[in-house]
Amino acid sequence: MAAPTVRPVRTGFVRVKEAQRRRRPGGPLRTLTDSDWSEWLPIHAWLVEHDGGLLLVDTGETARAATEPGYFPRWHPYYRLAVDFDVRPEDELGPQLRRLGVDPAEVGTVVLTHLHTDHAGGLAHVPHAHVWVDADEYALAKGFAGRLRGYPSNRWPASFAPTFLAWRDEPVGPFERSAPLTPDGSVVAIPTPGHTPHHLSVLVRGGDAGYLLAGDVSDDEQIAIDGVPDGVAPDAAVARETLRKVQVLAATEPFVYLPAHDPDSEARLAERRLFGER
Ligand SMILES: [Zn+2]
């Protein structure tokens, strides 16, 4: 049996406030009032090829987020003040998969780390894939209440009919629960709450190295090493505890750390550079 492989799928760029990347004092308004923008950060999805087929972790962003006035609700201050997208139509998931020689229709399974726009924005490119999400994340994201929380659920494609992950009491290192995504358990979801209350990550157990496809656990690896929660996590203590567990897992089962928005993720993947290695 071949070990699973991971390939980056970059669907354009986003920039956020520095107060979002590293939490600062100031309460929930910190990302709106901060005048300090990050550099342009990649929006990554990850394509996992395993014995059973192709599995995609996240779907990236749509160009509509960058080009269509009113795509996000104007009444929501976060979209008006705290986030900026640079996504062209050719950056979207479908064209980027084809660039890798993959027909989007071949992607059988999608797992969403969470339901924010830059992770669910490419769903329309994989309408026939089986989509896994966390049930509680979906409950927070759906409907108008979800839109108030910053999930543009009105933009989900009509095809979006996710299946809820069945968490098991099967520990992965310090993480008490997990949900296998392949029959052989080489690809497994683990709960990594913080950025959102029910955020998840995907651990790929490769041959010589594992990979943690970490969504928005942190914007980059250094922030995870420093254990600093982001500025939008509803509960900083929960986010801090997840970062601690990521560090513990790295010490026992080394992995290449691949969050969605780290400009260095692709280089680390190419070099198989493990979490904490320079
Ligand atoms: Zn997010």
Side-chain angles (χ1 to χ4, degrees), residues 6-23:
V6 177
R7 281 191 282 174
V9 186
R10 198 180 63 210
T11 66
F13 294 87
V14 63
R15 59 178 188 158
V16 295
K17 300 294 184 64
E18 285 298 333
Q20 173 168 340
R21 286 165 45 76
R22 286 177 180 260
R23 199 178 190 90

Side-chain angles (χ1 to χ4, degrees), residues 20 113-119 195-196 199 215-216 230 232 261:
Q20 173 168 340
T113 58
H114 63 302
L115 287 163
H116 281 163
T117 177
D118 50 331
H119 299 259
H195 176 71
T196 65
H199 185 283
D216 289 358
D230 73 32
V232 297
H261 306 301

Side-chain angles (χ1 to χ4, degrees), residues 187-262:
V187 185
V188 61
I190 52 177
T192 49
H195 176 71
T196 65
H198 305 282
H199 185 283
L200 63 86
S201 296
V202 174
L203 182 66
V204 177
R205 289 160 154 161
D208 15 328
Y211 306 90
L212 188 65
L213 313 182
D216 289 358
V217 165
S218 67
D219 271 350
D220 66 33
E221 179 172 289
Q222 191 57 51
I223 294 170
I225 290 170
D226 295 342
V228 180
D230 73 32
V232 297
D235 185 334
V238 170
R240 217 172 264 120
E241 174 62 5
T242 286
L243 293 168
R244 187 192 69 80
K245 287 179 174 175
V246 166
Q247 295 168 4
V248 170
L249 183 65
T252 51
E253 188 175 337
F255 52 75
V256 181
Y257 183 64
L258 301 173
H261 306 301
D262 187 342

